[in-house]
Amino acid sequence: MTTEPRTFPPRPLSAVKAVYARQAGCPSSFALAVADFAPREEGVEFETADTSAVPGWSAAEVSELHEAFGSGVREELAELATLEPGTTVAVAVVLRSIKVHEVDSHPRAFRHAGRQAVRNALDEAHGPPPRPRRERP
């Protein structure tokens, strides 16, 4: 039985949305991001579109959120390569937009959103992971 090598992403994936929200108590977290994932020849490339204008946030603060999102993307892609041997990761990720909460948004939340964006893109590209089947008594 021959299995074709799996690549990520197998095709361009546009407007992949990721939300990380933890607001059951203090401290709370919120991050919303939209990114595009496109195949490339090798490796991982991350860039941001011109999303630097967030009302009430300085350019440095927004840049820190972008960097945290990129870190989350890279972390999740590194795990993908080790968890699924034979998967080639060759992707260009473009962060298209972000939304923030004036109090609850911070770099750690955007790092989690970056990881979630990769998982959402995987689901879109290859379908959700198989769920374990429960035996009926």
Side-chain angles (χ1 to χ4, degrees):
M1 179 166 141
T2 308
T3 306
E4 279 191 45
R6 191 161 130 156
T7 61
F8 178 75
R11 65 183 183 288
L13 305 169
S14 297
V16 176
K17 184 177 179 181
V19 177
Y20 180 77
R22 182 181 169 273
Q23 297 183 297
C26 291
S28 297
S29 299
F30 177 82
L32 186 149
V34 177
D36 296 339
F37 290 74
R40 58 174 287 172
E41 297 221 2
E42 63 181 54
V44 176
E45 180 182 320
F46 176 75
E47 66 181 76
T48 59
D50 187 17
T51 59
S52 57
V54 176
W57 291 64
S58 72
E61 290 170 318
V62 173
S63 179
E64 192 175 3
L65 299 178
H66 292 174
E67 289 174 24
F69 182 87
S71 293
V73 165
R74 288 184 189 92
E75 289 169 12
E76 193 69 19
L77 289 171
E79 283 185 24
L80 171 67
T82 58
L83 291 175
E84 295 187 28
T87 299
T88 302
V89 176
V91 61
V93 180
V94 178
L95 178 59
R96 291 287 172 203
S97 66
I98 64 171
K99 296 226 186 243
V100 300
H101 182 274
E102 64 185 42
V103 175
D104 296 335
S105 292
H106 46 79
R108 189 177 74 251
F110 275 86
R111 187 178 129 266
H112 285 293
R115 294 182 72 105
Q116 185 64 50
V118 172
R119 291 190 293 269
N120 292 351
L122 278 167
D123 287 353
E124 188 175 322
H126 300 292
R131 295 175 73 174
R133 198 172 170 178
R134 293 192 303 171
E135 303 243 350
R136 299 210 186 248

